[in-house]
Amino acid sequence: MLDLANMRATLADHYDLAPSLDLAEAQRHIHARMDRVLPFADWAIHAPYVAAINRLKKERNAVILAHNYMTPDIYHGIADHVGDSLQLAIKATEVEAEVIVQCGVHFMAETSKILNPAKTVLMPDMAAGCSLAESITAEGVEEMRRRYPGAPVVSYVNTTAEVKAASDICCTSANALQIVEAMEGDTVIMTPDRYLAQNVANQSSKKVVFWPGSCIVHELYTAEDLRAYRAHDPEVKILAHPECTPEVVAEADFTGSTAGIIKWVHDHKPAKAMLVTECSMATNISDELPEVDFARPCNMCPYMKKITLEKVLYALHTMTGQVEVEAGVAARARVAVEKMIALSRQLGV
Ligand code: 13P
Ligand code: SF4
């Protein structure tokens, strides 16, 4: 567990992190990307951290990979690459810098380490987990294999390295259907997200059997709420993540990964959009889509929100929070993730 008092004392010894209008002014070009969502006075609070992190990134030869659910100060202020899980995994294979700072949750940092083991991968807060990753172990995968002999195991990337290592192939929300369809045999085991599996099953020719895990963020949305909102505002386009229940997905105009949702909004530019996913998504894309009015239902991911500018600065300053994966596990997990990336490319996902 991070010792926050010690972290703040260490940072105070080395950096002047007091709010600064001068630093805010000097980095106005960065604030311009989040002008509609972050008042300039608040930017003055973040600006010293952003300046220190961007300086330290150069000194440490580091890049920051940030998920679409990061807060706008991280997403727009310090990230070198942003994206969904698939895009970040692919980017991790391409990083040439010595250090990767993963602004996201722990399974994403593990995936980066698995794919690019020579790099130092820093996780600003090791407690940034995921309810899906915590719902299954490698023993759970073996239990499913015993129940459905011969069926291939497709595990969501939202899993630990051990679970990936015990699986035949991984998938993300961007390619789950295509990966399942490409498997041999009639029955496919999907772990650990029951709703992603049910949503895939509704579109697939395969029999999909699944582990009963769920995302604590997306399972909160209900079809009744969406129907009520649409009745109030019939113009709204509802865009849902496939970790939502099948009933919610049935109400949506489009369902896709976080990057898929962002692309849909860019392509269609609806007058009004509701992103049925984590809160920060709509916030992060508000400035680049000023013509879209975002209805903002907000279910926050408590794991993603553990990542802050302060913790990123501390990780880079001390080079602590290094993610390690045991070599044997990493080698087997790499096979499952690389198979997914290769198949995705082959299928044009
Ligand atoms: P994406 O791969 O769609 O970004 O989803 C990751 C995630 O954790 C969603 O909750
Ligand atoms: Fe995990 Fe859900 Fe948070 Fe994504 S939003 S990291 S699936 S708990």
Side-chain angles (χ1 to χ4, degrees):
M1 250 250 289
L2 262 181
D3 178 346
L4 292 181
N6 177 55
M7 174 182 80
R8 287 183 184 135
T10 305
L11 291 179
D13 281 346
H14 293 87
Y15 303 91
D16 179 1
L17 295 169
S20 166
L21 279 172
D22 288 345
L23 280 174
E25 198 57 62
Q27 299 175 100
R28 201 177 256 284
H29 60 292
I30 298 179
H31 179 254
R33 299 177 211 144
M34 49 189 142
D35 188 45
R36 288 158 61 92
V37 294
L38 191 78
F40 197 74
D42 290 349
W43 175 235
I45 297 170
H46 298 307
Y49 291 89
V50 170
I53 292 167
N54 286 334
R55 199 169 52 242
L56 208 47
K57 271 197 312 192
K58 291 200 185 96
E59 285 172 33
R60 300 272 194 253
N61 190 15
V63 294
I64 294 184
L65 305 186
H67 187 259
N68 292 325
Y69 292 164
M70 290 294 101
T71 49
D73 48 313
I74 291 175
Y75 185 92
H76 292 295
I78 59 168
D80 295 290
H81 304 283
V82 295
D84 67 8
S85 307
L86 181 61
Q87 290 170 326
L88 294 180
I90 291 170
K91 193 47 76 178
T93 65
E94 298 164 353
V95 167
E96 285 181 2
E98 281 164 43
V99 178
I100 296 172
V101 184
Q102 198 85 33
C103 288
V105 291
H106 190 264
F107 77 79
M108 295 176 176
E110 267 192 347
T111 305
S112 292
K113 184 70 184 175
I114 289 164
L115 289 170
N116 210 337
K119 306 300 174 192
T120 299
V121 178
L122 300 181
M123 189 64 210
D125 188 336
M126 290 288 186
C130 168
S131 65
L132 283 168
E134 286 157 19
S135 73
I136 186 165
T137 61
E139 287 71 44
V141 174
E142 295 316 322
E143 185 189 318
M144 292 298 277
R145 285 195 196 277
R146 279 194 297 278
R147 282 167 60 190
Y148 302 98
V153 176
V154 178
S155 283
Y156 200 24
V157 281
N158 297 39
T159 44
T160 60
E162 287 78 10
V163 167
K164 290 181 175 76
S167 306
D168 294 299
I169 190 167
C170 287
C171 74
T172 74
S173 58
N175 58 22
L177 176 62
Q178 292 83 350
I179 299 274
V180 166
E181 287 290 288
M183 293 297 101
E184 279 182 12
D186 299 335
T187 304
V188 177
I189 299 168
M190 283 189 81
T191 79
D193 186 348
R194 72 169 94 177
Y195 298 127
L196 178 70
Q198 287 167 4
N199 288 321
V200 166
N202 285 343
Q203 295 176 270
S204 174
S205 57
K206 306 278 182 187
K207 177 178 179 207
V208 179
V209 293
F210 52 85
W211 187 258
S214 61
C215 162
I216 56 166
V217 176
H218 291 90
E219 70 180 353
L220 294 178
Y221 291 104
T222 69
E224 295 73 44
D225 286 349
L226 300 187
R227 277 195 291 273
Y229 192 86
R230 214 194 273 281
H232 157 78
D233 187 355
E235 292 295 295
V236 72
K237 293 294 177 201
I238 296 180
L239 314 165
H241 195 275
E243 289 168 13
C244 294
T245 66
E247 294 74 29
V248 163
V249 164
E251 290 300 323
D253 297 290
F254 173 80
T255 300
S257 76
T258 56
I261 291 173
I262 292 173
K263 182 175 181 319
W264 194 97
V265 183
H266 270 279
D267 290 350
H268 294 81
K269 299 201 172 44
K272 189 141 197 180
M274 179 191 270
L275 275 45
V276 185
T277 187
E278 212 268 351
C279 313
S280 289
M281 276 266 294
T283 312
N284 285 336
I285 60 173
S286 281
D287 277 71
E288 63 203 37
L289 289 157
E291 59 277 71
V292 181
D293 182 11
F294 288 96
R296 292 174 192 264
C298 184
N299 285 328
M300 199 173 75
C301 175
Y303 305 105
M304 290 277 182
K305 265 42 197 188
K306 284 196 176 295
I307 307 303
T308 61
L309 287 175
E310 191 180 38
K311 291 176 190 172
V312 174
L313 179 58
Y314 184 71
L316 269 173
H317 176 77
T318 56
M319 293 299 286
T320 53
Q322 296 193 14
V323 173
E324 299 297 345
V325 182
E326 192 272 318
V329 171
R332 282 180 288 129
R334 191 175 312 127
V335 172
V337 182
E338 284 180 347
K339 259 195 215 167
M340 168 191 77
I341 293 176
L343 193 51
S344 269
R345 285 204 174 114
Q346 192 187 317
L347 299 170
V349 184

